[in-house]
Amino acid sequence: MTEPVVHIANLTIQYPNNVVLNSLSWSIQQGENYVIGGTSGSGKTTLAKAIAGLIPADNAIKLNFDASKSLPAKVVYISNWYQFTNLEGDRNFYYQQRYNHHQGHDTLTVKAELEHFAKKENLDFSAIRQRIQDFGFEDVQSSQLIELSSGEHKKLQLVRGLWTKPQLLIIDEPYTGLDKNARAVLNTWLDELVQEGVQLILITNDTLLPNFINRFAHVVNGQIEIVNSPAAFAKDKKRQKKELPAFLHEIPQTNYETVAEMNNIFIRYGEKVVLKDVSWKVNVGEKWLLQGPNGSGKSTLLSLINGDHPQAYGHDLSLFGNKRGSGESIWDIKQKIGIISPEMHWYFDQNATVWHTIASGFYDSIGWFIDVKYQEQKQIEELMEFFDLTEYKNQNLQTLPLGKQRLAMLARTIVKNPPLLVLDEPCQGLDNDQAKYFNDVVDELAQYGKTLIYVGHYETQLPSCIEHRIVLEKGEVKAIENITVKNKHLESAIV
């Protein structure tokens, strides 16, 4: 009888006061391609990392590779988030640095990173050129790693990992941040790899999967359970709807009619044009959806609005009724904005507790530096209760399941009750139930005079309050239109 590719016997992994995997046993046979789904924080990622040898498993895991295969006898793990280093080998970056072209040269270009990886792994660069083109990734080869959007970073992760064609490939949240075309390209590529002998384990609750996926499992109470389909995955407990804290019922006072107005904006880095002749007007109280493929310029456009882009000066750009450069400070702008984005989550202080994370929203910092006032403390406490985060108030943000991290970041975004909410792919990594809960909160907030700019790829993960849409493609405006999420299909070939 052929030995299983993965054999796990009585695997136990625990962190302080928390047993994640409890005497777990599991075997994966040749030809079995798994999706592991289930609840946030159940131990899926911990199990994947243990199989990949990234977490000590005390000899509870045995891998049996096929010596007759030409593929490398190894396991490759692609994490949910991409961690890159600068040219000196550390990760000492700050959030706004990605928009500063001069300081961006502290990291490798995409092409240099891939060439370095090819040399290290003894790979042929020509073998990956068509994949790069299929992914729509060829236009960023000269970009610095720090300049990439979250979706572009995900593509870089995937290109590197799939290029190696290991006998066992594990991908944690493979579709996070990818646009519609990239998700389809990824599934096709994975199916082709399976035909070449690669075996898959995907960690996801997504239902649009490669054709060769033939096994499903979830982790429940520290044990692996085999199920028949993703529909049987355990789901997070639905939260009971609560009344918004009273301070969020207050409609923000504004003495301006336009939140943002830009005319014929050009943003370039050297020869690379990121935004080309972009004009857009956002009036007070409007609810906008911003869409476009990965790398279309969405993050750069938002950086002009939230005050993080150094090229905002010298352009025909007005924010909150004032032309940029007319005397207002960046802090005057940020005081009026609550923002959440994958990049901000990446750069956030990894040692911040949940309480400090929310408190930092008053000061628009990536950590927490100032003692909060009594009224501010009260608002923090109210938001923790509203989002069921009170019991985690003293835990580091990074130790929580992703769903709870995102809720803490949303609490940070709204704690000062700003007139403008900028929500850049806030539901990345959340399943449909978690995303619905998140967007229900956004819909409720929208009733109290908020202006909203929301970035999202998935039609099923959008708030229903959205009224308008702007679509970017290769830095240009392709569409501006009025919409109603409830009755119009939004997800087209370009998003």
Side-chain angles (χ1 to χ4, degrees), residues 212-406:
F212 278 93
I213 291 297
N214 54 15
R215 297 290 187 274
F216 306 93
H218 58 185
V219 179
V220 179
N221 297 324
Q223 298 287 320
I224 194 81
E225 292 184 1
I226 310 302
V227 296
N228 293 325
S229 72
F233 288 156
K235 293 179 172 56
D236 287 290
K237 182 180 178 181
K238 290 189 176 181
R239 296 177 178 87
Q240 297 298 315
K241 185 175 181 179
K242 297 181 180 180
E243 180 71 17
L244 272 178
F247 76 91
L248 291 174
H249 290 194
E250 299 175 9
I251 297 176
Q253 297 301 307
T254 58
N255 57 1
Y256 44 84
E257 296 182 354
T258 303
V259 167
E261 185 171 6
M262 57 188 73
N263 296 294
N264 309 113
I265 298 293
F266 279 81
I267 298 292
R268 67 172 67 239
Y269 301 130
E271 297 300 315
K272 180 182 178 182
V273 177
V274 182
L275 293 179
K276 181 179 180 182
D277 196 25
V278 172
S279 297
W280 186 28
K281 183 177 180 181
V282 179
N283 294 316
V284 170
E286 291 183 337
K287 315 298 186 288
W288 281 87
L289 175 65
L290 170 59
Q291 289 190 309
N294 299 134
S296 59
K298 301 187 298 296
S299 295
T300 301
L301 182 62
L302 292 180
S303 72
L304 292 172
I305 294 174
N306 63 39
D308 284 326
H309 205 294
Q311 293 189 42
Y313 300 98
H315 289 85
D316 189 355
L317 170 65
S318 297
L319 300 176
F320 305 103
N322 295 314
K323 185 173 178 59
R324 285 293 271 136
S326 61
E328 84 292 355
S329 73
I330 186 175
W331 303 112
D332 292 330
I333 294 171
K334 287 184 175 294
Q335 186 58 32
K336 300 179 179 71
I337 303 174
I339 183 169
I340 181 174
S341 71
E343 292 80 11
M344 178 169 286
H345 202 160
W346 286 347
Y347 291 108
F348 206 80
D349 183 356
Q350 294 298 295
N351 296 315
T353 66
V354 170
W355 196 93
H356 289 154
T357 295
I358 300 172
S360 71
F362 282 113
Y363 305 103
D364 305 298
S365 63
I366 301 297
W368 176 71
F369 308 100
I370 304 175
D371 290 332
V372 298
K373 304 176 182 66
Y374 171 76
Q375 181 57 39
E376 293 171 342
Q377 292 182 31
K378 184 179 177 183
Q379 290 176 206
I380 295 167
E381 300 291 338
E382 289 176 355
L383 282 174
M384 286 194 298
E385 177 63 27
F386 177 74
F387 286 117
D388 297 323
L389 293 170
T390 302
E391 64 180 294
Y392 309 103
K393 64 182 293 184
N394 294 319
Q395 285 188 220
N396 282 6
L397 181 71
Q398 64 177 337
T399 66
L400 298 185
L402 181 58
K404 287 185 171 59
Q405 289 187 41
R406 284 294 159 83

Side-chain angles (χ1 to χ4, degrees), residues 19-24 39 42-43 218-225 234:
V19 177
V20 181
L21 304 177
N22 188 12
S23 298
L24 182 148
T39 59
S42 62
H218 58 185
V219 179
V220 179
N221 297 324
Q223 298 287 320
I224 194 81
E225 292 184 1

